[in-house]
Amino acid sequence: MKVTVDEDRCCGAGQCALLVPEVFDQREDDGVVILLDAAPAEPLHAAVREAAGVCPAAAIELGENA
């Protein structure tokens, strides 16, 4: 799995950081997403998919590793 985020689209809701803190965090000043792990381990894939699905700004994109 390859994870990318669009910081310009992020609205700072923080659901991603709550669901998968191993992969996502937020900047303290404005709450915009910080991607901690662009290639998370397989046990985290379901949670990362859920985080992408609940993102209100659709700022998280998922793909396959090249």
Side-chain angles (χ1 to χ4, degrees), residues 26-50:
Q26 291 180 279
R27 295 192 306 222
E28 287 189 29
D29 58 337
D30 59 5
V32 169
V33 66
I34 299 169
L35 181 61
L36 301 175
D37 187 355
E42 194 279 329
L44 297 173
H45 288 190
V48 172
R49 284 187 189 94
E50 181 180 355

Side-chain angles (χ1 to χ4, degrees), residues 4-30:
T4 56
V5 297
D6 185 342
E7 292 181 6
D8 293 332
R9 293 182 81 175
C10 179
C11 65
Q15 294 303 307
C16 58
L18 290 173
L19 286 168
V20 200
E22 303 90 343
V23 177
F24 305 103
D25 198 357
Q26 291 180 279
R27 295 192 306 222
E28 287 189 29
D29 58 337
D30 59 5

